[in-house]
Amino acid sequence: MDIIIRPVEAAEYAALGDITAEAYLGDGLLDYGADDPYLVQLRDVPRRAEEAEVLVAADARGRVLGGVTYAPPGNRWADIAAPDEAEFRMLAVSREARGAGAGEALVRACIDRARATAGVTGIVLSTQPAMRGAHRIYGRLGFVRTPERDWYPIEGLSLLTYRLEFPAVS
């Protein structure tokens, strides 16, 4: 499948919000199900697109397969990034597009953006223990676990962290 990574378009906000919400709900990642307050953030693509960079994976016909929010250094959407790190979050791929490479393509696009930013030494992310498919992608791409940075945004929710370090350029 040909996958195109590009910035989300306003006409796609609702579709990407639905894909993201359904990925988290369908995988049982929200403690309160359809009543989980985090669902509001997952669906609020317009706000994320205004305050960070939201990328989509689309097929050759332009159909949105998934998306991710990329936060450059210092961006308000970064949860754990140090001043010299980029971060990405809310990586989601529609159920029917899983396994076709959209998730990995989105992660690679975030890595490319971070590497192209002067002064950035790495890129980080937080993930839930149950997101095993995503963990495999991160491992393939060279991310390493950083358990010293693991955190709990709310009681009972443990987030694992990963980092990809960029070689120093001389």
Side-chain angles (χ1 to χ4, degrees):
M1 172 187 296
D2 289 332
I3 298 171
I4 300 147
I5 305 298
R6 59 172 172 71
V8 67
E9 297 173 2
E12 299 165 329
Y13 289 170
L16 182 57
D18 289 345
I19 288 169
T20 308
E22 284 305 313
Y24 279 70
L25 279 170
D27 291 348
L29 301 172
L30 299 174
D31 289 344
Y32 303 106
D35 294 325
D36 198 295
Y38 191 51
L39 205 51
V40 173
Q41 276 193 0
L42 294 173
R43 289 190 184 281
D44 195 355
V45 177
R47 179 173 171 217
R48 287 190 275 140
E50 181 180 317
E51 298 174 353
E53 184 174 2
V54 177
L55 303 173
V56 294
D59 65 14
R61 296 177 311 184
R63 183 176 58 115
V64 174
L65 307 172
V68 67
T69 299
Y70 172 77
N75 186 273
R76 67 175 295 168
W77 283 89
D79 284 324
I80 63 165
D84 63 344
E85 295 173 326
E87 185 171 341
F88 67 89
R89 26 186 321 208
M90 299 179 187
L91 174 66
V93 175
S94 68
R95 187 154 307 281
E96 52 277 357
R98 291 185 182 178
E104 185 168 329
L106 287 161
V107 174
R108 286 182 183 278
C110 291
I111 293 168
D112 291 346
R113 279 164 172 69
R115 282 185 193 217
T117 304
V120 173
T121 64
I123 186 167
V124 296
L125 65 104
S126 300
T127 181
Q128 292 186 30
M131 296 176 167
R132 290 184 187 90
H135 301 170
R136 286 190 293 276
I137 292 171
Y138 307 144
R140 271 197 312 272
L141 296 177
F143 284 83
V144 295
R145 277 277 291 119
T146 52
E148 69 279 4
R149 294 172 86 167
D150 291 355
W151 62 296
Y152 302 85
I154 60 171
E155 187 176 331
L157 176 60
S158 170
L159 292 182
L160 310 177
T161 60
Y162 286 78
R163 184 176 196 272
L164 176 64
E165 186 167 339
F166 302 148
V169 179
S170 47

